[in-house]
Amino acid sequence: MSIDRKAAITAYKERKTIAGVYVVRCAASGQAWVGQAPNLETIQNRIWFSLRQGSHTCRSLQAAWTTHGEAGLSFAECERLEDEESAYVRNALLKERQQHWRAELKAELI
């Protein structure tokens, strides 16, 4: 393995992830779904992949995708959390903020 590759792997493992709360919206139906993720930068790809496969666990979101397609849905960040050392504290804060945004946006949970 080359030194550059080792350095790239090390840098990837040490990168900071940004936890937070996000919303997926369907413009046609007016529905919204709120979720939380330990890494906001990768969650949309994960959701879109499972929706394309027809295997997303949230049935109402999958139904909206099936009816309106990828172009009918949008993804947005609601809130980014400050860097938190403790995973326990971060997870508790994510749950709390997810509930806040769910109520605020009158959305379902993902």
Side-chain angles (χ1 to χ4, degrees):
M1 194 177 334
S2 72
I3 293 171
D4 288 343
R5 184 166 173 193
K6 281 185 181 179
I9 290 170
T10 301
Y12 177 79
K13 288 180 180 177
E14 293 175 354
R15 78 197 184 292
K16 292 271 189 225
T17 59
I18 299 164
V21 180
Y22 61 89
V23 61
V24 176
R25 287 191 172 100
C26 177
S29 69
Q31 291 173 285
W33 299 266
V34 168
Q36 45 101 349
N39 188 351
L40 283 174
E41 294 176 352
T42 60
I43 191 67
Q44 182 181 0
N45 285 339
R46 209 166 79 207
I47 294 168
W48 263 225
F49 178 80
S50 64
L51 288 168
R52 282 187 200 107
Q53 302 305 309
S55 63
H56 199 280
T57 56
C58 180
R59 292 285 154 229
S60 60
L61 178 56
Q62 185 67 60
W65 176 277
T66 303
T67 303
H68 304 289
E70 183 173 350
L73 298 181
S74 64
F75 177 91
E77 291 180 13
C78 294
E79 179 176 0
R80 289 178 171 217
L81 297 185
E82 294 295 318
D83 199 21
E84 180 59 58
E85 293 299 317
S86 164
Y88 176 79
V89 172
R90 183 192 70 216
N91 290 340
L93 191 55
L94 277 171
K95 281 184 181 174
E96 177 188 312
R97 298 310 297 158
Q98 176 180 327
Q99 290 303 329
H100 164 81
W101 284 105
R102 180 183 182 199
E104 181 85 14
L105 301 172
K106 296 174 180 54
E108 292 181 53
L109 288 180
I110 290 183

Short mmCIF file of all heavy atoms in Angstrom, two decimals, residues 13-70:
data_model
loop_
_atom_site.label_atom_id
_atom_site.label_comp_id
_atom_site.label_asym_id
_atom_site.label_seq_id
_atom_site.Cartn_x
_atom_site.Cartn_y
_atom_site.Cartn_z
N LYS A 13 -10.59 8.18 8.46
CA LYS A 13 -11.01 7.65 9.77
C LYS A 13 -11.05 8.75 10.84
O LYS A 13 -11.82 8.66 11.78
CB LYS A 13 -10.06 6.54 10.21
CG LYS A 13 -10.26 5.26 9.42
CD LYS A 13 -9.31 4.20 9.88
CE LYS A 13 -9.50 2.91 9.09
NZ LYS A 13 -8.55 1.88 9.47
N GLU A 14 -10.23 9.77 10.69
CA GLU A 14 -10.13 10.83 11.70
C GLU A 14 -11.03 12.03 11.41
O GLU A 14 -11.07 12.96 12.19
CB GLU A 14 -8.68 11.29 11.83
CG GLU A 14 -7.77 10.23 12.41
CD GLU A 14 -6.31 10.65 12.43
OE1 GLU A 14 -5.98 11.72 11.88
OE2 GLU A 14 -5.51 9.88 12.98
N ARG A 15 -11.75 11.99 10.29
CA ARG A 15 -12.57 13.15 9.92
C ARG A 15 -13.67 13.37 10.93
O ARG A 15 -14.14 12.45 11.58
CB ARG A 15 -13.15 12.97 8.52
CG ARG A 15 -14.36 12.05 8.49
CD ARG A 15 -14.68 11.56 7.11
NE ARG A 15 -15.88 10.77 7.08
CZ ARG A 15 -16.05 9.58 7.62
NH1 ARG A 15 -15.07 9.01 8.28
NH2 ARG A 15 -17.19 8.93 7.51
N LYS A 16 -14.06 14.60 11.06
CA LYS A 16 -15.15 14.97 11.97
C LYS A 16 -16.48 14.77 11.23
O LYS A 16 -16.62 15.16 10.08
CB LYS A 16 -15.04 16.43 12.38
CG LYS A 16 -13.84 16.72 13.26
CD LYS A 16 -14.21 16.53 14.70
CE LYS A 16 -13.10 17.03 15.60
NZ LYS A 16 -12.81 16.12 16.66
N THR A 17 -17.43 14.17 11.91
CA THR A 17 -18.76 14.05 11.33
C THR A 17 -19.66 15.06 12.01
O THR A 17 -19.44 15.44 13.15
CB THR A 17 -19.34 12.62 11.51
OG1 THR A 17 -19.39 12.32 12.90
CG2 THR A 17 -18.49 11.59 10.79
N ILE A 18 -20.68 15.49 11.29
CA ILE A 18 -21.59 16.50 11.80
C ILE A 18 -22.95 15.85 12.04
O ILE A 18 -23.62 15.41 11.11
CB ILE A 18 -21.73 17.67 10.80
CG1 ILE A 18 -20.37 18.31 10.59
CG2 ILE A 18 -22.75 18.68 11.29
CD1 ILE A 18 -20.28 19.19 9.38
N ALA A 19 -23.32 15.75 13.31
CA ALA A 19 -24.61 15.16 13.68
C ALA A 19 -25.69 16.24 13.60
O ALA A 19 -25.41 17.43 13.74
CB ALA A 19 -24.52 14.60 15.09
N GLY A 20 -26.91 15.79 13.37
CA GLY A 20 -27.99 16.76 13.34
C GLY A 20 -29.33 16.16 12.96
O GLY A 20 -29.50 14.95 12.89
N VAL A 21 -30.26 17.07 12.70
CA VAL A 21 -31.64 16.71 12.37
C VAL A 21 -31.92 17.19 10.95
O VAL A 21 -31.47 18.25 10.54
CB VAL A 21 -32.62 17.37 13.36
CG1 VAL A 21 -34.06 17.02 13.04
CG2 VAL A 21 -32.28 16.97 14.79
N TYR A 22 -32.67 16.37 10.20
CA TYR A 22 -32.98 16.69 8.81
C TYR A 22 -34.46 16.49 8.53
O TYR A 22 -35.17 15.86 9.32
CB TYR A 22 -32.14 15.82 7.86
CG TYR A 22 -32.40 14.35 8.03
CD1 TYR A 22 -33.42 13.72 7.31
CD2 TYR A 22 -31.67 13.59 8.93
CE1 TYR A 22 -33.68 12.38 7.49
CE2 TYR A 22 -31.94 12.24 9.11
CZ TYR A 22 -32.94 11.64 8.39
OH TYR A 22 -33.21 10.31 8.57
N VAL A 23 -34.90 17.02 7.40
CA VAL A 23 -36.29 16.85 6.98
C VAL A 23 -36.31 16.44 5.51
O VAL A 23 -35.52 16.91 4.71
CB VAL A 23 -37.13 18.14 7.20
CG1 VAL A 23 -36.58 19.31 6.40
CG2 VAL A 23 -38.60 17.91 6.87
N VAL A 24 -37.22 15.52 5.19
CA VAL A 24 -37.52 15.15 3.81
C VAL A 24 -38.94 15.62 3.56
O VAL A 24 -39.83 15.34 4.37
CB VAL A 24 -37.40 13.62 3.59
CG1 VAL A 24 -37.81 13.26 2.16
CG2 VAL A 24 -35.99 13.14 3.88
N ARG A 25 -39.14 16.35 2.48
CA ARG A 25 -40.47 16.90 2.17
C ARG A 25 -40.95 16.40 0.82
O ARG A 25 -40.15 16.21 -0.10
CB ARG A 25 -40.41 18.42 2.14
CG ARG A 25 -40.27 19.07 3.48
CD ARG A 25 -40.49 20.58 3.35
NE ARG A 25 -40.55 21.21 4.64
CZ ARG A 25 -39.53 21.87 5.19
NH1 ARG A 25 -38.39 21.98 4.56
NH2 ARG A 25 -39.68 22.42 6.38
N CYS A 26 -42.26 16.27 0.71
CA CYS A 26 -42.90 15.96 -0.56
C CYS A 26 -43.74 17.18 -0.93
O CYS A 26 -44.72 17.49 -0.25
CB CYS A 26 -43.78 14.71 -0.44
SG CYS A 26 -44.68 14.33 -1.96
N ALA A 27 -43.35 17.86 -2.00
CA ALA A 27 -44.03 19.09 -2.40
C ALA A 27 -45.47 18.81 -2.83
O ALA A 27 -46.38 19.57 -2.49
CB ALA A 27 -43.27 19.77 -3.54
N ALA A 28 -45.71 17.71 -3.52
CA ALA A 28 -47.04 17.42 -4.06
C ALA A 28 -48.06 17.12 -2.96
O ALA A 28 -49.19 17.59 -3.02
CB ALA A 28 -46.95 16.25 -5.03
N SER A 29 -47.66 16.36 -1.96
CA SER A 29 -48.62 15.96 -0.91
C SER A 29 -48.55 16.84 0.33
O SER A 29 -49.44 16.79 1.17
CB SER A 29 -48.35 14.51 -0.50
OG SER A 29 -47.13 14.42 0.20
N GLY A 30 -47.47 17.61 0.46
CA GLY A 30 -47.29 18.45 1.64
C GLY A 30 -46.79 17.68 2.86
O GLY A 30 -46.67 18.24 3.94
N GLN A 31 -46.48 16.41 2.68
CA GLN A 31 -45.99 15.60 3.80
C GLN A 31 -44.55 15.97 4.12
O GLN A 31 -43.80 16.43 3.26
CB GLN A 31 -46.03 14.11 3.45
CG GLN A 31 -47.43 13.54 3.33
CD GLN A 31 -47.38 12.12 2.80
OE1 GLN A 31 -47.14 11.92 1.62
NE2 GLN A 31 -47.59 11.16 3.69
N ALA A 32 -44.18 15.71 5.36
CA ALA A 32 -42.80 15.93 5.80
C ALA A 32 -42.41 14.81 6.76
O ALA A 32 -43.25 14.30 7.51
CB ALA A 32 -42.65 17.28 6.47
N TRP A 33 -41.15 14.43 6.72
CA TRP A 33 -40.60 13.41 7.60
C TRP A 33 -39.33 13.96 8.22
O TRP A 33 -38.49 14.51 7.52
CB TRP A 33 -40.27 12.13 6.82
CG TRP A 33 -41.46 11.51 6.18
CD1 TRP A 33 -42.25 10.53 6.70
CD2 TRP A 33 -42.01 11.82 4.90
NE1 TRP A 33 -43.26 10.22 5.82
CE2 TRP A 33 -43.13 11.00 4.71
CE3 TRP A 33 -41.68 12.74 3.89
CZ2 TRP A 33 -43.91 11.05 3.56
CZ3 TRP A 33 -42.45 12.78 2.76
CH2 TRP A 33 -43.56 11.95 2.60
N VAL A 34 -39.19 13.79 9.52
CA VAL A 34 -38.02 14.29 10.23
C VAL A 34 -37.23 13.11 10.78
O VAL A 34 -37.80 12.14 11.27
CB VAL A 34 -38.45 15.23 11.39
CG1 VAL A 34 -37.29 15.53 12.32
CG2 VAL A 34 -39.01 16.52 10.83
N GLY A 35 -35.91 13.23 10.69
CA GLY A 35 -35.05 12.20 11.24
C GLY A 35 -33.80 12.83 11.83
O GLY A 35 -33.55 14.03 11.66
N GLN A 36 -33.01 12.01 12.52
CA GLN A 36 -31.74 12.48 13.06
C GLN A 36 -30.65 11.52 12.64
O GLN A 36 -30.93 10.34 12.41
CB GLN A 36 -31.83 12.63 14.58
CG GLN A 36 -32.49 11.46 15.29
CD GLN A 36 -31.54 10.49 15.94
OE1 GLN A 36 -30.34 10.55 15.73
NE2 GLN A 36 -32.08 9.59 16.74
N ALA A 37 -29.45 12.04 12.52
CA ALA A 37 -28.35 11.21 12.04
C ALA A 37 -27.04 11.64 12.69
O ALA A 37 -26.82 12.83 12.93
CB ALA A 37 -28.22 11.35 10.52
N PRO A 38 -26.16 10.68 12.93
CA PRO A 38 -24.84 11.01 13.47
C PRO A 38 -23.94 11.66 12.43
O PRO A 38 -22.95 12.29 12.76
CB PRO A 38 -24.28 9.67 13.93
CG PRO A 38 -25.04 8.65 13.14
CD PRO A 38 -26.38 9.25 12.85
N ASN A 39 -24.32 11.54 11.14
CA ASN A 39 -23.54 12.14 10.07
C ASN A 39 -24.48 12.69 8.99
O ASN A 39 -24.97 11.95 8.15
CB ASN A 39 -22.57 11.12 9.47
CG ASN A 39 -21.60 11.75 8.49
OD1 ASN A 39 -21.74 12.91 8.11
ND2 ASN A 39 -20.62 10.98 8.07
N LEU A 40 -24.72 14.00 9.03
CA LEU A 40 -25.63 14.63 8.08
C LEU A 40 -25.13 14.56 6.64
O LEU A 40 -25.92 14.61 5.70
CB LEU A 40 -25.86 16.09 8.45
CG LEU A 40 -26.81 16.34 9.62
CD1 LEU A 40 -26.83 17.82 9.97
CD2 LEU A 40 -28.21 15.86 9.31
N GLU A 41 -23.82 14.43 6.47
CA GLU A 41 -23.26 14.45 5.12
C GLU A 41 -23.56 13.18 4.32
O GLU A 41 -23.50 13.20 3.10
CB GLU A 41 -21.76 14.70 5.18
CG GLU A 41 -21.44 16.08 5.71
CD GLU A 41 -19.95 16.33 5.87
OE1 GLU A 41 -19.15 15.38 5.73
OE2 GLU A 41 -19.60 17.48 6.16
N THR A 42 -23.89 12.09 5.00
CA THR A 42 -24.11 10.83 4.30
C THR A 42 -25.56 10.33 4.35
O THR A 42 -25.92 9.40 3.63
CB THR A 42 -23.20 9.71 4.87
OG1 THR A 42 -23.51 9.54 6.25
CG2 THR A 42 -21.74 10.06 4.70
N ILE A 43 -26.39 10.93 5.18
CA ILE A 43 -27.72 10.37 5.40
C ILE A 43 -28.62 10.45 4.17
O ILE A 43 -29.38 9.52 3.91
CB ILE A 43 -28.41 11.00 6.65
CG1 ILE A 43 -29.67 10.22 7.02
CG2 ILE A 43 -28.72 12.47 6.44
CD1 ILE A 43 -29.41 8.82 7.51
N GLN A 44 -28.55 11.50 3.39
CA GLN A 44 -29.42 11.59 2.22
C GLN A 44 -29.13 10.46 1.24
O GLN A 44 -30.06 9.83 0.73
CB GLN A 44 -29.30 12.94 1.50
CG GLN A 44 -30.26 13.01 0.32
CD GLN A 44 -30.19 14.31 -0.46
OE1 GLN A 44 -29.42 15.20 -0.14
NE2 GLN A 44 -30.99 14.41 -1.50
N ASN A 45 -27.86 10.17 1.00
CA ASN A 45 -27.53 9.06 0.08
C ASN A 45 -28.10 7.75 0.59
O ASN A 45 -28.59 6.94 -0.19
CB ASN A 45 -26.02 8.93 -0.09
CG ASN A 45 -25.46 10.01 -0.99
OD1 ASN A 45 -26.18 10.61 -1.77
ND2 ASN A 45 -24.17 10.25 -0.87
N ARG A 46 -28.02 7.53 1.90
CA ARG A 46 -28.54 6.30 2.48
C ARG A 46 -30.05 6.20 2.31
O ARG A 46 -30.58 5.14 1.93
CB ARG A 46 -28.16 6.24 3.96
CG ARG A 46 -28.00 4.82 4.45
CD ARG A 46 -27.32 4.75 5.78
NE ARG A 46 -28.29 5.08 6.81
CZ ARG A 46 -27.98 5.59 7.98
NH1 ARG A 46 -26.74 5.90 8.28
NH2 ARG A 46 -28.90 5.84 8.87
N ILE A 47 -30.76 7.30 2.56
CA ILE A 47 -32.22 7.30 2.43
C ILE A 47 -32.62 7.08 0.97
O ILE A 47 -33.46 6.24 0.66
CB ILE A 47 -32.82 8.62 2.96
CG1 ILE A 47 -32.60 8.72 4.47
CG2 ILE A 47 -34.31 8.72 2.64
CD1 ILE A 47 -32.91 10.09 5.03
N TRP A 48 -32.02 7.85 0.07
CA TRP A 48 -32.36 7.76 -1.35
C TRP A 48 -32.07 6.35 -1.88
O TRP A 48 -32.82 5.83 -2.69
CB TRP A 48 -31.60 8.81 -2.15
CG TRP A 48 -32.32 10.09 -2.46
CD1 TRP A 48 -32.33 10.72 -3.66
CD2 TRP A 48 -33.12 10.92 -1.60
NE1 TRP A 48 -33.09 11.88 -3.59
CE2 TRP A 48 -33.57 12.03 -2.34
CE3 TRP A 48 -33.49 10.83 -0.27
CZ2 TRP A 48 -34.38 13.02 -1.80
CZ3 TRP A 48 -34.29 11.83 0.28
CH2 TRP A 48 -34.73 12.90 -0.49
N PHE A 49 -30.97 5.74 -1.44
CA PHE A 49 -30.63 4.38 -1.88
C PHE A 49 -31.73 3.41 -1.47
O PHE A 49 -32.21 2.61 -2.29
CB PHE A 49 -29.28 3.94 -1.29
CG PHE A 49 -28.92 2.53 -1.68
CD1 PHE A 49 -28.36 2.26 -2.92
CD2 PHE A 49 -29.14 1.48 -0.81
CE1 PHE A 49 -28.03 0.97 -3.30
CE2 PHE A 49 -28.81 0.18 -1.16
CZ PHE A 49 -28.26 -0.08 -2.41
N SER A 50 -32.15 3.45 -0.20
CA SER A 50 -33.18 2.51 0.26
C SER A 50 -34.52 2.78 -0.44
O SER A 50 -35.28 1.85 -0.73
CB SER A 50 -33.32 2.53 1.77
OG SER A 50 -33.76 3.78 2.22
N LEU A 51 -34.82 4.05 -0.73
CA LEU A 51 -36.05 4.36 -1.44
C LEU A 51 -36.00 3.82 -2.87
O LEU A 51 -36.99 3.27 -3.36
CB LEU A 51 -36.29 5.88 -1.46
CG LEU A 51 -36.69 6.49 -0.12
CD1 LEU A 51 -36.62 8.01 -0.18
CD2 LEU A 51 -38.08 6.03 0.31
N ARG A 52 -34.86 3.96 -3.54
CA ARG A 52 -34.72 3.42 -4.90
C ARG A 52 -34.90 1.91 -4.92
O ARG A 52 -35.42 1.35 -5.88
CB ARG A 52 -33.34 3.76 -5.48
CG ARG A 52 -33.23 5.17 -5.98
CD ARG A 52 -31.89 5.40 -6.69
NE ARG A 52 -31.62 6.81 -6.72
CZ ARG A 52 -30.71 7.43 -5.98
NH1 ARG A 52 -29.93 6.76 -5.16
NH2 ARG A 52 -30.56 8.73 -6.06
N GLN A 53 -34.44 1.26 -3.85
CA GLN A 53 -34.56 -0.20 -3.74
C GLN A 53 -35.97 -0.64 -3.34
O GLN A 53 -36.28 -1.82 -3.38
CB GLN A 53 -33.55 -0.75 -2.71
CG GLN A 53 -32.11 -0.42 -3.00
CD GLN A 53 -31.68 -0.86 -4.38
OE1 GLN A 53 -31.88 -2.00 -4.78
NE2 GLN A 53 -31.08 0.05 -5.13
N GLY A 54 -36.79 0.32 -2.92
CA GLY A 54 -38.14 0.00 -2.46
C GLY A 54 -38.15 -0.63 -1.08
O GLY A 54 -39.09 -1.33 -0.71
N SER A 55 -37.09 -0.37 -0.31
CA SER A 55 -36.95 -1.07 0.97
C SER A 55 -36.87 -0.13 2.17
O SER A 55 -36.44 -0.54 3.24
CB SER A 55 -35.69 -1.94 0.92
OG SER A 55 -34.54 -1.12 0.76
N HIS A 56 -37.29 1.11 2.01
CA HIS A 56 -37.22 2.02 3.16
C HIS A 56 -38.22 1.58 4.21
O HIS A 56 -39.33 1.17 3.90
CB HIS A 56 -37.47 3.47 2.75
CG HIS A 56 -36.97 4.44 3.77
ND1 HIS A 56 -37.68 4.74 4.91
CD2 HIS A 56 -35.82 5.14 3.85
CE1 HIS A 56 -36.99 5.59 5.63
NE2 HIS A 56 -35.85 5.85 5.02
N THR A 57 -37.83 1.66 5.49
CA THR A 57 -38.68 1.18 6.58
C THR A 57 -39.88 2.08 6.87
O THR A 57 -40.86 1.62 7.43
CB THR A 57 -37.86 1.00 7.87
OG1 THR A 57 -37.23 2.25 8.18
CG2 THR A 57 -36.81 -0.07 7.71
N CYS A 58 -39.81 3.33 6.48
CA CYS A 58 -40.94 4.25 6.67
C CYS A 58 -41.88 4.10 5.47
O CYS A 58 -41.59 4.58 4.37
CB CYS A 58 -40.44 5.69 6.80
SG CYS A 58 -41.76 6.88 7.05
N ARG A 59 -43.00 3.43 5.68
CA ARG A 59 -43.91 3.09 4.59
C ARG A 59 -44.49 4.33 3.90
O ARG A 59 -44.66 4.35 2.69
CB ARG A 59 -45.03 2.20 5.10
CG ARG A 59 -44.55 0.83 5.51
CD ARG A 59 -44.24 0.00 4.26
NE ARG A 59 -43.25 -1.02 4.57
CZ ARG A 59 -42.15 -1.25 3.85
NH1 ARG A 59 -41.88 -0.53 2.79
NH2 ARG A 59 -41.32 -2.19 4.19
N SER A 60 -44.84 5.36 4.67
CA SER A 60 -45.44 6.55 4.06
C SER A 60 -44.43 7.29 3.18
O SER A 60 -44.78 7.81 2.13
CB SER A 60 -46.04 7.47 5.11
OG SER A 60 -45.05 7.92 6.02
N LEU A 61 -43.17 7.31 3.60
CA LEU A 61 -42.13 7.93 2.79
C LEU A 61 -41.90 7.12 1.52
O LEU A 61 -41.80 7.68 0.42
CB LEU A 61 -40.82 8.06 3.58
CG LEU A 61 -39.62 8.64 2.85
CD1 LEU A 61 -39.92 10.02 2.26
CD2 LEU A 61 -38.42 8.71 3.78
N GLN A 62 -41.86 5.80 1.64
CA GLN A 62 -41.69 4.94 0.48
C GLN A 62 -42.85 5.13 -0.50
O GLN A 62 -42.65 5.19 -1.71
CB GLN A 62 -41.57 3.48 0.90
CG GLN A 62 -41.26 2.53 -0.25
CD GLN A 62 -39.87 2.75 -0.83
OE1 GLN A 62 -38.88 2.61 -0.15
NE2 GLN A 62 -39.80 3.09 -2.11
N ALA A 63 -44.06 5.26 0.03
CA ALA A 63 -45.25 5.46 -0.81
C ALA A 63 -45.15 6.79 -1.56
O ALA A 63 -45.49 6.87 -2.76
CB ALA A 63 -46.52 5.41 0.02
N ALA A 64 -44.69 7.84 -0.88
CA ALA A 64 -44.54 9.15 -1.53
C ALA A 64 -43.49 9.06 -2.65
O ALA A 64 -43.68 9.63 -3.73
CB ALA A 64 -44.15 10.21 -0.52
N TRP A 65 -42.41 8.35 -2.39
CA TRP A 65 -41.36 8.16 -3.40
C TRP A 65 -41.92 7.42 -4.61
O TRP A 65 -41.68 7.80 -5.76
CB TRP A 65 -40.19 7.39 -2.79
CG TRP A 65 -39.09 7.06 -3.75
CD1 TRP A 65 -39.04 6.01 -4.62
CD2 TRP A 65 -37.88 7.78 -3.94
NE1 TRP A 65 -37.87 6.02 -5.32
CE2 TRP A 65 -37.14 7.10 -4.93
CE3 TRP A 65 -37.35 8.93 -3.38
CZ2 TRP A 65 -35.89 7.54 -5.36
CZ3 TRP A 65 -36.10 9.36 -3.80
CH2 TRP A 65 -35.39 8.67 -4.79
N THR A 66 -42.68 6.37 -4.35
CA THR A 66 -43.24 5.56 -5.42
C THR A 66 -44.22 6.38 -6.26
O THR A 66 -44.22 6.29 -7.49
CB THR A 66 -43.96 4.31 -4.83
OG1 THR A 66 -43.01 3.59 -4.04
CG2 THR A 66 -44.50 3.41 -5.92
N THR A 67 -45.02 7.20 -5.62
CA THR A 67 -46.01 8.02 -6.31
C THR A 67 -45.40 9.20 -7.05
O THR A 67 -45.72 9.46 -8.20
CB THR A 67 -47.07 8.54 -5.31
OG1 THR A 67 -47.65 7.42 -4.64
CG2 THR A 67 -48.15 9.34 -6.01
N HIS A 68 -44.49 9.94 -6.39
CA HIS A 68 -44.01 11.20 -6.93
C HIS A 68 -42.58 11.14 -7.47
O HIS A 68 -42.13 12.09 -8.12
CB HIS A 68 -44.11 12.30 -5.86
CG HIS A 68 -45.48 12.45 -5.33
ND1 HIS A 68 -46.53 12.98 -6.06
CD2 HIS A 68 -46.02 12.13 -4.13
CE1 HIS A 68 -47.64 12.98 -5.34
NE2 HIS A 68 -47.35 12.46 -4.16
N GLY A 69 -41.86 10.08 -7.17
CA GLY A 69 -40.49 9.92 -7.67
C GLY A 69 -39.49 10.78 -6.94
O GLY A 69 -39.82 11.58 -6.06
N GLU A 70 -38.23 10.60 -7.32
CA GLU A 70 -37.13 11.32 -6.68
C GLU A 70 -37.30 12.83 -6.79
O GLU A 70 -37.04 13.57 -5.84
CB GLU A 70 -35.81 10.90 -7.31
CG GLU A 70 -34.60 11.52 -6.67
CD GLU A 70 -33.29 10.95 -7.19
OE1 GLU A 70 -33.29 9.94 -7.91
OE2 GLU A 70 -32.25 11.54 -6.85
#
